Structure formats: structure tokens, C-alpha cells
Amino acid sequence: MLDKLSSTLRKVTDRVANAVFLDKNLVDSLVRDLQRALIEADVNVGLVMEISKKLREEAMSERLKGVEKKEHVIKLLHDELIRILGKSRELVLGKKETWMMVGLYGAGKTTTIGKLAAYYSKRGRKVCAVGLDVHRPAAPEQLKQVCKKVGVECFISPKEKDPLKIWKSYEKEIKKYNLVLVDTAGRDALDDELVEEIKKISKVVKASESFLVMAADIGQAAKKQAQTFKDSANISGVIITRMDSTAKAGGALTACYESDVGVVFIGTGEKPSDLESFDPEAFLSRLLGMGDLKSLMEKIHSVMDKKEIERQQKKLQEGKFTLRDLQTQLGSMEGLGSMDKIMGMIPGLGKVKDKIGEGKIEEQQAKVQKWKHAINSMTEEEIENPVVLEKQTSRIQRIAHGSGCSTSEIRMLIKQWKMLSEMMKEQGKMMEGKMDQKTMMKMARKFGKKMRF
Ligand SMILES: Nc1nc2c(ncn2[C@@H]2O[C@H](COP(=O)(O)OP(=O)(O)O)[C@@H](O)[C@H]2O)c(=O)[nH]1
Ligand SMILES: [Mg+2]
């Protein structure tokens, strides 16, 4: 069910959570991915653009920074998606309920009656179904089979062509049930005849709910359908079926938000148990593959621990950056996997990354492994104050020997450290004067260009 949208949403939230800076390139690419996935799920382009605009503005605003900003962007995305999924409508069942299924041919009305019957019998309701589809000759028999499967009483009159007469003939027996599900006839389109029929039946059966049943695969056409049925047949909610058989279910769901009718159930398969009450919050959680918004927020924090950020910022302000720090960075990043990520985390390298090819990244990854070995072969003094290495070539030879690197590789490591340390110092200076993100990015770019690959 909406697998593609689901995987994109997961990817987008992951990328926001993992990003150190939400820079323009990243935001642009995230918004592009999101747009593509939403449009593929058949969400109205207008809605997609609306969400994109809000996200972009929030992500690029200078008002919030760091973790706070990431939280804000994720929350905004979450809230916007909830918004377009519509309001949830909890059904509170009274002592006696009569629910009518209305909709076009093949929408899933009869199948849904079986599902609802199973759903509410299990929850202690005394359920029966009444077949008032007098248009399709096979309809009464189909309803009978559906009801038999779930062990629910079914009232049909296959020869009678007047739905009201059928109802009247069973009226007394129906009184014994406290949830009566009424199956009605469809048409190819909503015409005057169907409207008349729905209105008449609704009045006679005293329907407490009239649910419009629509198949998810009609996509955005659901908007017009929901609107027309709402205006002419006074529907009280929508049931969307065949959620399992289309990638375009986003269209039908958001269409209901646009025409302001709540989705009460979704059908997710052909079996009687394939019915779920619809709750936008729970539905989105499942798409995102998370428990709820809170766990999403925790994810952001787990990637970048607040204390660690503060510790690093303090170090920057002091203008200290030793080989130990470089090692810690490299080490802690190892858990996250690829060099790709490491480069994204070290300011400036993220930019360079785009300009170099895949093979190069692997090459660089191997180099980083060597650096780590090299740092392990150094003395405490050398790690804390790498300048001594530049002065004494014998030290470099010793380290090269101990770590299986060449002396030029060790020299390269020192050069890279120097570059990073200079950059950190400069950043540190600027941070005292509360450097904003833009300046930080400018700095990163400047140094990024200087990095050698
Ligand atoms: N995959 C899938 N098929 C469904 C679902 N609901 C209904 N169907 C199928 O849709 C077709 C039409 O359903 P039916 O109940 O006869 O529609 P009606 O004309 O509105 O009464 C049948 O083949 C059902 O098996 C669903 O949630 N998932
Ligand atoms: Mg039917």
C-alpha cells in the first residue's frame, strides 16, 4: 500500500535527520524527491506545491538552527501530510444503526458490507445485511455469499425490483438487529436516477450513516465523485477500497480532504478481514515506518547528540583541533558507514563530494583507514600537537613503518589535519561573534575548494 511513497518519505526524513546543515542543495533535492513521490501517488499538484513551498521556506529560514531546525522541518512535513490526509472521524455507534453503502458499479460496496459485518460482529454487534441492489441480477446472490462467509444474516428478494418493497417486507425482522448494513445499486455514473433512488432509500430505511464507497484506483477523480455525492446524496463519510491494488491511493485520500468528507474505513484486500478504520495519524506513522512523531524526533537526536554538539562547539571556540579529534570524528563516523557520510559531516567536504566520482570516494575511504592506522602509531604528544611531526622527519618515518603507510601518506594526513585545524580555528573565531549558517557555508565552501582529492 503506497510502498513507493512510503520508502521516499522514510528516505527524506532520514536525510533530514542525518544532515548536519540543511543547505540549499540538500533542501532542493529533498523537496524534489518528495514532489516526485507525492505526484506518483497521485496527490494533486497544487497540494504538492503548497507543501513544497512551506518546507522550503522553513528549511531555509534563519530563524532556527541545527537540531531545532531539523525537528521543525520534520514536524512541518508530518503535519502537512496529516493535514492532506484529512480529519479522522470516529464512529460512535448508537443502540440502533442503519448504514447505507452507496457508490458506482464495482466500487466495492457489497464486499465492504461483508467486511463491516465481520468487523462489528467481532465487536459484539448484532449485524444483518439487506440487499437493495435491484439492478444487477447477480447482486442478491453475491451479498448472500458474502454474508454466509462471515456468518451474518442476510435479507434479499431476488425477484423484487422495487428496493422499498424489499425493505418493507423485512422491516419487522430487521428490528432485531442493532447494526443494519444496506447494500444499494450502483450506476456507471452518478445520474439523477441514482440520486433519486439513494434519497428515497435513505429516507425509508432511516439511514444513520450513508457511506460513499470508492475504489482507490480512481485517483484524483475521487474529488469530483465525493463532492457530487456529498452535494446530492448527503453522504456522511467515505470508504476507500482497493488500497492494496494501486500506487495512486494518495489521490483518493487527499481528494476526500479537498472535498471535506472524512474517510472512515479503508479496504486493503479482498478478504473479509481486510478492513481498517482510517486514522490519518496512524496511517502516516505506518507510511513513515515509525511509531509516531516522537520517535521520529528521537531519531534526529540520536544522530546528533546535543551534548556532543556543544562539546564540539566549545572546542571550536577555543580553536583547538588535534589529530585526536580527527580520529574521533573518523571513528564515530565509522558506525554510520560510508565515507560519503563522513564527508557530509565534516564541513566543506560535503560540497566536494558532489564533484568527485564514486570510485574516488572508495579510494578516499581506503585512505581514511590508513590515516586511522597512522594515528594509532603516534605518541600522545604527536597526536595533541602534530606540528612536531613537521619538524622531525624521523618521526614520520617511524609512524609510516609502524602503520604500513608510506611517508608521503603520513605527510598528506598532516596536511589535511592542518587544513581542517585552520578551518576550525577560523570558524571558532567567527562563532564567538555568533556566526550564522550562511557564513558557515561560505567558509565551508572556501575550504572545501582547498581540500585535495
Ligand atoms: N484488492 C481488493 N479488491 C477489492 C477490495 N474491495 C473490493 N474489491 C473487489 O472489487 C470488486 C468489486 O466489488 P463489489 O463489492 O462487487 O463492488 P460493488 O459493485 O460496489 O458492490 C470485487 O472483485 C471485489 O473482490 C479491496 O479492498 N481490495
Ligand atoms: Mg454490489
Side-chain angles (χ1 to χ4, degrees):
M1 194 166 54
L2 292 175
D3 293 342
K4 184 84 187 300
L5 178 61
S6 170
S7 77
T8 304
L9 286 177
R10 289 175 201 208
K11 242 182 263 159
V12 165
T13 48
D14 271 355
R15 283 174 70 195
V16 174
N18 288 326
V20 171
F21 300 121
L22 287 176
D23 68 353
K24 190 169 178 308
N25 277 354
L26 178 65
V27 173
D28 282 346
S29 118
L30 290 174
V31 168
R32 256 198 318 274
D33 285 355
L34 194 67
Q35 286 176 340
R36 200 176 301 135
L38 287 170
I39 287 170
E40 270 175 30
D42 202 33
V43 175
N44 174 304
V45 176
L47 283 181
V48 175
M49 291 309 159
E50 209 181 291
I51 294 177
S52 310
K53 186 164 170 265
K54 284 190 193 170
L55 271 181
R56 216 186 292 263
E57 275 170 10
E58 211 56 46
M60 297 318 295
S61 101
E62 300 280 338
R63 191 164 55 85
L64 293 168
K65 304 214 187 311
V67 175
E68 254 182 337
K69 175 181 249 176
K70 292 200 285 180
E71 271 183 354
H72 202 71
V73 168
I74 298 264
K75 178 148 191 337
L76 181 74
L77 174 62
H78 181 272
D79 292 350
E80 284 297 303
L81 292 171
I82 290 278
R83 182 174 68 90
I84 64 166
L85 284 173
K87 281 191 211 77
S88 68
R89 200 199 130 199
E90 206 190 335
L91 286 169
V92 184
L93 274 65
K95 271 206 186 96
K96 170 113 190 147
E97 294 281 333
T98 304
W99 294 357
M100 234 170 96
M101 303 301 129
V102 304
L104 303 184
Y105 280 141
K109 297 178 290 299
T110 310
T111 314
T112 301
I113 289 205
K115 292 176 179 179
L116 286 169
Y119 187 94
Y120 284 106
S121 317
K122 258 187 230 142
R123 285 161 177 78
R125 287 256 146 186
K126 201 161 181 302
V127 187
C128 77
V130 187
L132 302 188
D133 179 354
V134 293
H135 286 259
R136 271 184 51 235
E141 183 56 28
Q142 188 197 353
L143 184 66
K144 195 172 143 191
Q145 292 305 324
V146 161
C147 288
K148 199 172 151 198
K149 217 175 183 173
V150 298
V152 156
E153 194 66 53
C154 169
F155 300 107
I156 50 167
S157 303
K159 296 212 170 68
E160 179 56 63
K161 288 292 162 212
D162 181 351
L164 302 182
K165 277 193 183 150
I166 301 177
W167 178 265
K168 288 259 155 63
S169 70
Y170 290 117
E171 208 163 16
K172 240 176 151 174
E173 282 178 82
I174 291 169
K175 285 214 166 76
K176 294 182 209 143
Y177 296 86
N178 58 15
L179 177 59
V180 182
L181 302 170
V182 182
D183 194 18
T184 68
R187 297 289 191 281
D188 286 324
L190 181 72
D191 52 21
D192 293 346
E193 195 197 329
L194 180 58
V195 171
E196 270 316 298
E197 190 173 308
I198 291 170
K199 279 185 175 160
K200 260 198 300 198
I201 296 176
S202 166
K203 213 164 148 193
V204 171
V205 308
K206 297 193 185 66
S208 44
E209 301 278 357
S210 291
F211 294 139
L212 168 64
V213 180
M214 293 190 289
D217 35 34
I218 66 169
Q220 286 180 43
K223 184 178 172 183
K224 185 149 178 278
Q225 207 178 110
Q227 194 67 54
T228 336
F229 271 88
K230 188 182 163 202
D231 295 344
S232 55
N234 201 23
I235 52 165
S236 59
V238 171
I239 296 176
I240 298 179
T241 64
R242 293 214 284 267
M243 287 289 294
D244 54 307
S245 62
T246 175
K248 293 184 166 273
L253 285 174
T254 54
C256 294
Y257 151 75
E258 289 182 284
S259 43
D260 200 27
V261 284
V263 176
V264 281
F265 285 100
I266 51 176
T268 56
E270 295 192 71
K271 292 194 302 301
S273 57
D274 294 332
L275 182 79
E276 297 173 21
S277 73
F278 182 70
D279 169 28
E281 192 100 22
F283 187 78
L284 181 62
S285 291
R286 204 164 55 178
L287 282 188
L288 290 171
M290 309 291 289
D292 49 21
L293 183 61
K294 194 166 147 265
S295 32
L296 208 57
M297 293 304 180
E298 275 163 12
K299 191 166 167 180
I300 299 177
H301 284 283
S302 71
V303 172
M304 259 279 169
D305 180 65
K306 239 183 187 147
K307 278 216 176 97
E308 177 60 21
I309 294 176
E310 278 163 16
R311 200 187 65 81
Q312 294 217 355
Q313 284 184 343
K314 193 160 167 272
K315 268 216 133 134
L316 288 182
Q317 275 166 4
E318 288 164 2
K320 260 194 211 148
F321 184 77
T322 68
L323 271 173
R324 176 77 69 211
D325 295 316
L326 181 60
Q327 192 186 32
T328 312
Q329 286 224 12
L330 299 177
S332 68
M333 298 309 144
E334 213 170 33
L336 290 175
S338 66
M339 185 61 201
D340 205 50
K341 281 232 175 77
I342 301 175
M343 291 170 77
M345 301 288 275
I346 302 176
L349 293 195
K351 288 277 164 193
V352 185
K353 191 183 73 188
D354 297 336
K355 293 188 198 124
I356 55 177
E358 284 289 319
K360 271 271 188 190
I361 289 182
E362 269 163 35
E363 212 175 279
Q364 190 64 15
Q365 205 155 5
K367 201 189 280 177
V368 166
Q369 274 308 323
K370 285 198 162 181
W371 287 357
K372 286 175 71 183
H373 292 314
I375 296 173
N376 282 335
S377 297
M378 291 178 192
T379 64
E380 222 29 61
E381 185 201 2
E382 289 159 353
I383 290 172
E384 288 297 325
N385 186 21
V387 183
V388 298
L389 293 172
E390 285 180 308
K391 291 182 184 143
Q392 288 168 276
T393 29
S394 62
R395 286 181 189 250
I396 292 179
Q397 263 158 8
R398 192 204 78 237
I399 295 162
H401 208 75
S403 60
C405 299
S406 65
T407 49
S408 67
E409 278 168 335
I410 306 293
R411 287 208 172 82
M412 179 60 90
L413 165 62
I414 299 167
K415 208 166 177 180
Q416 299 276 324
W417 161 77
K418 229 180 160 170
M419 187 103 66
L420 280 170
S421 130
E422 259 173 52
M423 179 169 119
M424 297 296 183
K425 253 180 221 149
E426 218 166 304
Q427 276 197 2
K429 263 188 242 151
M430 297 182 84
M431 276 176 116
E432 279 165 39
K434 281 246 183 279
M435 176 165 61
D436 61 40
Q437 191 166 330
K438 232 184 219 158
T439 325
M440 185 116 78
M441 289 312 303
K442 220 155 68 198
M443 288 272 319
R445 265 195 295 277
K446 185 175 131 202
F447 281 97
K449 274 196 200 111
K450 276 203 228 157
M451 298 299 283
R452 285 193 41 187
F453 285 99

